[in-house]
Amino acid sequence: MELYFLGTNAGVPTLQRNVTSIALRLLEERRSIWMFDCGEGTQHQVLRSPIRLGKLEKIFITHLHGDHLFGLPGLLSSRGYQGGTSPLTVYGPPGLKAYLDISLAVSQSRIPYKIEIVEHTGGTVFEDEGFKVEAALLEHRIDSYGYRVTEKDSPGSLNTELLKSYGLKPGPIYGKLKKGEDVITDEGVRICAADVVREPKRGRIVTILGDTRPCSGALELSLHADLIVHEATFAHDLAEMAHQYHHSTARQAAELAQEADAGQLLLTHFSSRYSSFEELIPLLEEAELIFPETLLAEEFSAYPIYRRQNGQLGK
């Protein structure tokens, strides 16, 4: 489970950075990829990355500003040409369906797979036996949503060494114990599942926020997350401008991560005024003063999502 950044710039692309798009790689967990936002040029970024559109299962759009949306019609079309045949679901605010229907119809795009478009206004937007995705409204110039992806806890593993001491070999009894059922061996020995099954493995939580000022919705989605992706459009010396344009500073992102008791913070969505990566270092430094576990997102870079153990990051 890791994040891969395809675009980290705000507003418009530059020669150094493309506009927003993030891939959540769930190759071990469900052999698929989820994408969050799809700014113009995302399909070109994909070609330069290890991302394979045939594995793309879901796309979550935070809001309908062009730097988060204009790449979607092209990417959906390219997916078909790159061998994508499995169904794809796109989630986003009201208006998303009209945008895609018109774009694909007018361009006569051929989509050789089923697309489901799910418009929402927050709440639980997806859930199955492995994952739950919740959305909440943020504070931006138009309706903008953040997403909280929760990996559900996995059952604890069997203590096979202890089972061997009972003379048991892998088989149906192992399966019953794994399900939490107590068993009685052929020798009449009762084995309690609680004694031979280890603690469940806690699922990870990753929060990916759309464009926003500091707000209660961002905190709600971020509480106790293992990793938060937060916009840092400006350094804090431009806090007044950030507020005026409904954005956040790096320091404000760090304050949220601290209040949310998060494990790690990834900053992205940087203003074009910071043209080089070196010019982003002051944003990182101001955030680290408040929340040390902060990183700057770099394009074409992967960031594993670690679960915290006893308050510390661990694999």
Side-chain angles (χ1 to χ4, degrees), residues 300-314:
F300 306 115
S301 294
Y303 299 86
I305 299 168
Y306 300 116
R307 58 175 55 84
R308 285 184 300 166
Q309 300 172 355
N310 300 320
Q312 301 295 319
L313 289 176

Side-chain angles (χ1 to χ4, degrees), residues 16-299:
Q16 292 77 30
R17 298 189 299 269
N18 200 49
V19 285
T20 298
S21 184
I22 307 167
L24 176 60
R25 302 176 74 187
L26 300 169
L27 300 180
E28 293 184 8
E29 293 77 10
R30 56 195 299 132
R31 298 181 181 177
S32 69
I33 294 169
W34 293 358
M35 184 176 286
F36 292 80
D37 285 334
C38 189
E40 182 181 2
T42 294
Q43 62 176 314
H44 293 277
Q45 299 291 88
V46 167
L47 292 174
R48 300 169 59 195
S49 79
I51 303 300
R52 296 294 172 261
L53 294 182
K55 292 187 177 296
L56 187 59
E57 179 189 9
K58 297 180 181 297
I59 302 175
F60 298 87
I61 300 298
T62 61
H63 64 294
L64 304 186
H65 275 156
D67 58 324
H68 296 254
L69 182 69
F70 282 166
L72 189 52
L75 182 131
L76 294 177
S77 180
S78 292
R79 183 176 185 261
Y81 287 107
Q82 295 182 27
T85 58
S86 57
L88 175 69
T89 307
V90 185
Y91 303 82
L96 175 63
K97 187 176 189 306
Y99 171 75
L100 283 179
D101 285 349
I102 293 171
S103 298
L104 297 176
V106 170
S107 62
Q108 298 186 34
S109 298
R110 178 181 173 273
I111 308 295
Y113 54 89
K114 180 182 178 181
I115 298 178
E116 181 183 7
I117 302 171
V118 178
E119 295 186 336
H120 68 81
T121 55
T124 299
V125 299
F126 169 76
E127 186 170 11
D128 66 5
E129 67 281 355
F131 284 86
K132 181 179 182 180
V133 182
E134 300 163 280
L137 186 64
L138 305 176
E139 189 174 320
H140 193 48
R141 289 192 293 118
I142 64 173
D143 284 355
S144 177
Y145 290 86
Y147 294 97
R148 178 184 177 95
V149 180
T150 302
E151 177 189 33
K152 295 187 177 179
D153 295 347
S154 56
S157 60
L158 288 174
N159 187 334
T160 54
E161 293 301 317
L162 182 56
L163 289 173
K164 287 178 182 178
S165 71
Y166 286 109
L168 295 177
K169 297 180 179 179
I173 288 181
Y174 274 39
K176 290 181 179 180
L177 290 167
K178 184 81 172 177
K179 293 178 182 177
E181 301 176 19
D182 297 342
V183 300
I184 298 178
T185 67
D186 293 340
E187 290 75 24
V189 177
R190 182 180 182 86
I191 302 177
C192 295
D195 295 333
V196 296
V197 179
R198 296 186 174 93
E199 287 293 317
K201 195 173 185 180
R202 185 183 67 80
R204 289 159 288 185
I205 300 171
V206 56
T207 297
I208 300 175
L209 300 174
D211 292 4
T212 187
R213 289 172 175 170
C215 64
S216 59
L219 179 59
E220 173 191 337
L221 292 173
S222 301
L223 285 173
H224 311 301
D226 295 285
L227 186 148
I228 299 172
V229 177
H230 198 298
E231 69 135 288
T233 307
F234 301 106
H236 204 69
D237 61 342
L238 296 174
E240 186 175 335
M241 179 183 292
H243 183 80
Q244 179 183 352
Y245 288 101
H246 295 80
H247 285 296
S248 298
T249 68
R251 182 194 299 181
Q252 289 167 339
E255 290 169 346
L256 171 79
Q258 181 185 60
E259 187 176 359
D261 185 33
Q264 198 169 34
L265 172 65
L266 260 172
L267 301 178
T268 187
H269 198 269
F270 308 117
S271 168
S272 302
R273 68 179 55 236
Y274 311 110
S275 59
S276 67
F277 190 80
E278 288 69 28
E279 290 180 81
L280 294 173
I281 298 303
L283 280 73
L284 175 64
E285 292 173 343
E286 75 178 30
E288 286 180 322
L289 288 174
I290 296 168
F291 191 79
E293 294 291 340
T294 302
L295 296 172
L296 295 173
E298 294 187 63
E299 292 181 20

